[in-house]
Amino acid sequence: MNTFDRYQGIVRKTLHHEIVVDALRELILEGELEPRSRINEVALCERFGISRTPLREAIKLLAAEGLLELMPNRGARVVALSPTEISDILQVIGALEGAAGELSCARITDAELAAIETTNEAMVAAWQAGDYPGYFSRNREIHEAIMAAAGNAILQATYRSLSGRVQRARFSAQKTEQQWARAIDDHNLMILLLRRRDGAALAQLMRDHIKSKWPVISAAYSESKPTKPAGQKQKQLSEE
């Protein structure tokens, strides 16, 4: 089920703004709106079934998150990061995931661990079946679940903000066979260290895991090209 199928039929006005923000964010994070691509407000309003007011509010919020760039009198476009910015963000994300790994080993519940194990099994199965969107989705869920298990709201909020800026490349870039094998091995080892509650070892693994992503993410961003703005699909978000 895709983003807009999930959001169809929701009519509560109190949720409307959040739904528009989530929908636009997902277009960016899943790569439909690529770095440097312009935001076509008319097309997106038609696609979502909304007026420009909630869309522009969503654009302002995502600009504050660092996902969009506001251009005076020219609308907005998806942010394109430089190699230096990507490297800086990954360094911080590595530190955050390392801290989360250590904290989660001390705080994770049996239920949370079981859920992560199940997600990891689903991720591996998706990879074996060649279902790469399914693999990347489960991969992201594992990292976010470990972060959540750390039980630190500030850590989680900071991570969410920074991770979103490189998420498209991080969770969808192509890998070599060696990189695939390492990714699978790393995640299996994460599960093992969580079971052992070995915080120091998991912290180091999480940092090293992020560091290994740099060549993949750098290549993905250097190859990104602007695409035509999204907005042609017919599924809508109800504004009523």
Side-chain angles (χ1 to χ4, degrees), residues 109-121 141-142 145 191:
T109 66
D110 290 341
E112 288 172 326
L113 178 53
I116 292 173
E117 290 176 337
T118 299
T119 304
N120 189 65
E121 291 171 0
E141 287 177 18
I142 290 169
I191 301 299

Side-chain angles (χ1 to χ4, degrees), residues 1 3 28 31 40 54 61 63 119 144 198 215 219 228:
M1 181 180 295
T3 304
I28 298 169
N40 186 326
L61 180 58
T119 304
E144 291 176 348
D198 190 340
K228 65 180 181 179

Side-chain angles (χ1 to χ4, degrees), residues 115-143 171 175 180-191 209 213:
I116 292 173
E117 290 176 337
T118 299
T119 304
N120 189 65
E121 291 171 0
M123 182 196 75
V124 174
W127 170 65
Q128 292 172 335
D131 175 12
Y132 297 114
Y135 166 88
F136 289 120
S137 179
R138 303 292 85 74
N139 186 319
R140 186 177 73 185
E141 287 177 18
I142 290 169
H143 285 268
F171 292 105
K175 297 181 176 70
W180 278 116
R182 173 169 181 175
I184 296 297
D185 288 346
D186 280 358
H187 281 84
N188 288 334
L189 184 53
M190 288 175 198
I191 301 299
H209 183 73
K213 299 278 189 178

Side-chain angles (χ1 to χ4, degrees), residues 81-91 166 169-170 173 179 182 207-222:
L81 301 174
S82 70
T84 298
E85 289 171 321
I86 295 171
S87 179
D88 289 347
I89 290 173
L90 287 179
Q91 287 178 11
V166 294
R170 177 181 174 186
Q179 289 167 333
R182 173 169 181 175
R207 289 191 292 267
D208 291 343
H209 183 73
I210 296 301
K211 188 181 296 184
S212 72
K213 299 278 189 178
W214 163 244
V216 179
I217 296 176
S218 179
Y221 268 89
S222 65

Side-chain angles (χ1 to χ4, degrees), residues 40-67:
N40 186 326
E41 293 186 12
V42 174
L44 286 173
C45 285
E46 181 179 351
R47 176 174 178 175
F48 294 171
I50 60 176
S51 68
R52 285 199 176 187
T53 298
L55 180 64
R56 287 178 173 174
E57 291 175 352
I59 288 171
K60 290 178 182 178
L61 180 58
L62 295 181
E65 290 184 11
L67 293 178

Side-chain angles (χ1 to χ4, degrees), residues 30-31 34 54 59 86 88-89 91 114 118 129 131-133 137 152 155 160-161 165 168 172 180-181 196 202 207 236:
E30 292 190 349
E34 295 190 355
I59 288 171
I86 295 171
D88 289 347
I89 290 173
Q91 287 178 11
T118 299
D131 175 12
Y132 297 114
S137 179
N152 186 308
L155 180 68
R160 186 185 302 115
S161 175
R165 301 185 67 184
R168 183 192 64 83
S172 63
W180 278 116
R196 293 177 176 174
L202 183 57
R207 289 191 292 267
Q236 295 184 330

